[in-house]
């Protein structure tokens, strides 16, 4: 059965794996020879050209906007106690501000204070990043209803610190080289082995839409499969170009799938 595939980006948050996920039973665990060749990293010297893929080689572009970059930067920070505490604080605050339910927000705020700011904290932030006035202000807010951005000032200071010398050290480390290797995998031509296929999201008159995940980046997509025979039978489209136009017209009427890749 001939099929055309149209991909739509899904604006959802998923955890990105730094290494390919294993599947299957036995010693091979689903890793065939072709699959290994598909996911093989380029040599370190060959991937330096992908630095230009970042509009600006700064903390926001390399770490904040890149899920793989955040995970690799976390691995880099875990090698240094001071950086580990700072990065843990930023991750906890990000989860507290953006992902935590309202009913759990106050308890998470108190947990962040106990782990990162109080004198007995195991992962206390360095003294040069916090002062008595800011900590006092946080303590006062924790006594009542905790607002969402209670740690915004301290988090901004910590982020500015990490985007300085620590980020420069990250750029020169093996972790950023691994990020460039992942970037090289993302640029490979798209084929039938590029995505993992999951459950069917819906069916229509011309095919079906299923959830897929890019093996290289971990990003989630909705993949639309069109049955060419069915489309021709209904005399709706006579070429791949008209099929793509049909998909674009449907997208204009229903914009819930996002932009066409």
């Amino acid at each position: 059965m001939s099929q055309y595939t149209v991909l739509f980006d899904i604006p959802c948050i998923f955890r990105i794996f730094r290494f390919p996920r294993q599947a299957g039973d036995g010693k091979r665990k689903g890793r065939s020879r072709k699959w290994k060749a598909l996911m093989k990293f380029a040599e370190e010297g060959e991937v330096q050209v992908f630095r230009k893929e970042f509009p600006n080689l700064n903390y926001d572009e390399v770490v904040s906007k890149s899920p793989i970059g955040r995970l690799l930067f976390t691995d880099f920070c875990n090698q240094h106690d001071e950086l580990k505490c700072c990065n843990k604080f930023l991750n906890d605050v990000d989860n507290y501000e953006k992902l935590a339910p309202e009913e759990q927000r106050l308890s998470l705020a108190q947990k962040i204070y106990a782990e990162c700011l109080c004198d007995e904290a195991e992962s206390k932030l360095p003294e040069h990043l916090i002062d008595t006035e800011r900590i006092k202000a946080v303590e006062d807010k924790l006594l009542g209803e905790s607002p969402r951005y209670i740690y915004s000032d301290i988090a901004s200071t910590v982020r500015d610190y990490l985007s300085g010398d620590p980020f420069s050290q990250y750029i020169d480390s093996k972790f950023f080289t691994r990020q460039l290797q992942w970037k090289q995998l993302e640029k490979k031509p798209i084929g039938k082995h590029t995505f993992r296929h999951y459950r069917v999201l819906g069916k229509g008159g011309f095919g079906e839409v299923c959830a897929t995940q890019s093996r290289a980046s971990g990003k989630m997509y909705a993949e639309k499969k069109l049955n060419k025979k069915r489309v021709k039978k209904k005399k709706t489209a006579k070429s791949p170009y008209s099929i793509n136009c049909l998909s674009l017209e449907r997208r204009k009427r229903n914009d819930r799938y996002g932009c066409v890749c």
Side-chain angles (χ1 to χ4, degrees), residues 77-88:
C77 291
N78 288 342
Q79 295 185 332
H80 311 277
D81 292 337
E82 182 176 308
L83 300 183
K84 181 179 180 181
C85 295
C86 295
N87 189 69
K88 178 183 182 303

Side-chain angles (χ1 to χ4, degrees), residues 8 32 37 55 63 77 79 95 110 118 122 130 137 156 169 183-184 196 215 224 226 230 233 247 254:
F8 300 90
S32 64
V63 179
C77 291
Q79 295 185 332
N95 178 68
Q110 295 171 346
C118 70
E122 297 181 358
I130 53 178
S156 178
Q169 297 174 14
K183 181 67 68 174
Q184 179 265 340
R196 297 188 185 95
R215 296 180 185 271
K224 185 173 185 179
L226 301 179
R230 189 181 303 174
K233 185 177 180 180
S247 301
N254 189 350

Side-chain angles (χ1 to χ4, degrees), residues 14-255:
F14 290 86
R15 178 171 177 80
I16 308 302
F17 294 90
R18 283 155 287 184
F19 299 94
R21 179 167 49 184
Q22 298 180 356
D25 299 325
K27 296 181 179 179
R28 296 181 64 185
K29 295 184 179 180
R31 296 179 178 230
S32 64
R33 187 175 301 175
K34 292 183 179 179
W35 192 85
K36 288 182 179 180
L38 176 69
M39 299 301 297
K40 183 179 180 180
F41 287 126
E43 297 295 333
E44 295 183 3
E46 299 177 1
V47 297
Q48 297 304 320
V49 296
F50 290 95
R51 286 173 176 254
K52 63 182 180 181
E53 296 295 331
F54 298 99
N56 298 301
L57 204 62
N58 54 33
Y59 181 86
D60 290 335
E61 294 292 340
V62 177
V63 179
S64 298
K65 297 181 180 180
S66 172
I68 292 178
R70 285 197 297 269
L71 293 175
L72 291 172
F73 187 74
T74 298
D75 291 342
F76 167 77
C77 291
N78 288 342
Q79 295 185 332
H80 311 277
D81 292 337
E82 182 176 308
L83 300 183
K84 181 179 180 181
C85 295
C86 295
N87 189 69
K88 178 183 182 303
F89 174 76
L90 284 184
N91 291 337
D92 291 344
V93 170
D94 188 64
N95 178 68
Y96 160 74
E97 292 180 350
K98 299 178 181 179
L99 303 178
E102 288 294 336
E103 60 271 13
Q104 300 178 8
R105 200 176 301 282
L106 181 59
S107 61
L108 286 178
Q110 295 171 346
K111 182 179 179 182
I112 293 174
Y113 173 80
E115 293 181 352
C116 302
L117 295 179
C118 70
D119 295 334
E120 298 80 12
E122 297 181 358
S123 304
K124 186 177 180 180
L125 292 175
E127 295 293 341
H128 62 89
L129 297 178
I130 53 178
D131 54 57
T132 307
E133 294 182 0
R134 288 184 175 181
I135 295 179
K136 181 63 176 176
V138 170
E139 291 175 350
D140 294 339
K141 292 178 181 179
L142 288 176
L143 297 177
E145 295 183 0
S146 177
R148 174 171 297 184
Y149 301 106
I150 185 175
Y151 296 110
S152 57
D153 292 340
I154 301 177
S156 178
T157 302
V158 175
R159 189 177 293 105
D160 291 341
Y161 168 68
L162 289 180
S163 61
D165 291 338
F167 176 72
S168 300
Q169 297 174 14
Y170 171 76
I171 292 297
D172 297 331
S173 69
K174 63 180 180 180
F175 297 97
F176 182 64
T177 301
R178 177 52 59 92
Q179 186 175 352
L180 293 178
Q181 289 175 325
W182 277 111
K183 181 67 68 174
Q184 179 265 340
L185 281 182
E186 292 179 15
K187 294 299 180 180
K188 283 188 174 181
I190 296 178
K192 63 179 181 179
H193 299 297
T194 305
F195 300 92
R196 297 188 185 95
H197 293 76
Y198 296 101
R199 68 181 183 88
V200 176
L201 301 177
K203 294 184 179 181
F206 302 98
E208 62 185 18
V209 178
C210 61
T212 60
Q213 183 184 36
S214 171
R215 296 180 185 271
S217 65
K219 292 181 180 179
M220 299 297 297
Y221 296 89
E223 181 183 282
K224 185 173 185 179
K225 298 180 180 180
L226 301 179
N227 188 333
K228 190 171 78 172
K229 291 183 179 179
R230 189 181 303 174
V231 172
K232 285 186 175 182
K233 185 177 180 180
K234 292 191 176 185
K235 298 181 180 181
T236 307
K238 297 183 179 180
S239 66
Y241 175 78
S242 56
I243 291 178
N244 289 335
C245 292
L246 172 64
S247 301
L248 290 174
E249 290 177 1
R250 282 195 161 190
R251 179 189 164 228
K252 291 179 181 178
R253 294 196 301 268
N254 189 350
D255 201 25

